Amino acid sequence: MNIPNAEQFWQFSEQHYARPGVAEACLQLQDDYHANVNLLLLLLMLEERGLSLEPTHFLPILRQRAGLFKQWRQLRRQLKDKLSTDDYLALLRHELELESWQQQELLQVLNQSPPNTDGGGLIAYLTFLQVPDAPLWQLRLAT
């Protein structure tokens, strides 16, 4: 199986997130449905490789870290207009370090529960989050 390593996952995330409309879709899913952007990107990457894993395998680690990420994101958003550009960019860099750390944790889960070739991990996650029109969202993310 072609399970990604940390560098491959990070590069995929940067490239895919930069595609038109993907960042907006990810952030809307994050804000409106509490989706984890790193998990969305990992499930997309797996699907591109013909792999899938039931998203429930990732939920314990995501729940364990949810408070940390939520508080950091709120702090960054609150301080955005109050900080100098350099200080804000320092906050943003730290948040990216947290994202990289989370990606490594997700990959650890993936290595403990090897994926299958059934497909459907992303749509299962969107359905779990009760996202209406999950197939449409899947298309928006996969552009």
Side-chain angles (χ1 to χ4, degrees), residues 24-123:
E24 294 81 7
C26 286
L27 294 175
Q28 188 174 353
L29 288 168
Q30 175 183 276
D31 292 344
D32 294 350
Y33 300 100
H34 308 289
N36 181 282
V37 173
N38 281 317
L39 182 53
L40 291 169
L41 293 168
L42 179 58
L43 294 171
L44 275 166
M45 183 178 195
L46 290 174
E47 287 189 5
E48 284 192 7
R49 293 172 176 228
L51 301 172
S52 179
L53 184 64
E54 179 63 37
T56 55
H57 290 280
F58 300 100
L59 296 182
I61 194 69
L62 293 179
R63 286 183 181 132
Q64 184 179 354
R65 306 285 188 228
L68 170 69
F69 282 90
K70 182 178 179 182
Q71 288 175 347
W72 188 262
R73 201 173 295 116
Q74 285 176 337
L75 176 66
R76 181 182 50 78
R77 288 176 178 174
Q78 288 172 353
L79 295 176
K80 184 176 185 175
D81 296 330
K82 298 174 182 143
L83 295 175
S84 70
T85 301
D86 288 343
D87 289 341
Y88 179 75
L89 290 174
L91 279 179
L92 195 55
R93 276 192 302 276
H94 183 69
E95 188 172 347
L96 289 175
E97 290 172 11
L98 289 173
E99 297 289 349
S100 175
W101 171 59
Q102 184 177 59
Q103 284 192 353
Q104 292 173 30
E105 288 189 321
L106 292 174
L107 289 174
Q108 288 174 355
V109 171
L110 183 62
N111 284 315
Q112 293 168 0
S113 306
N116 57 58
T117 57
D118 294 341
L122 178 59
I123 199 79

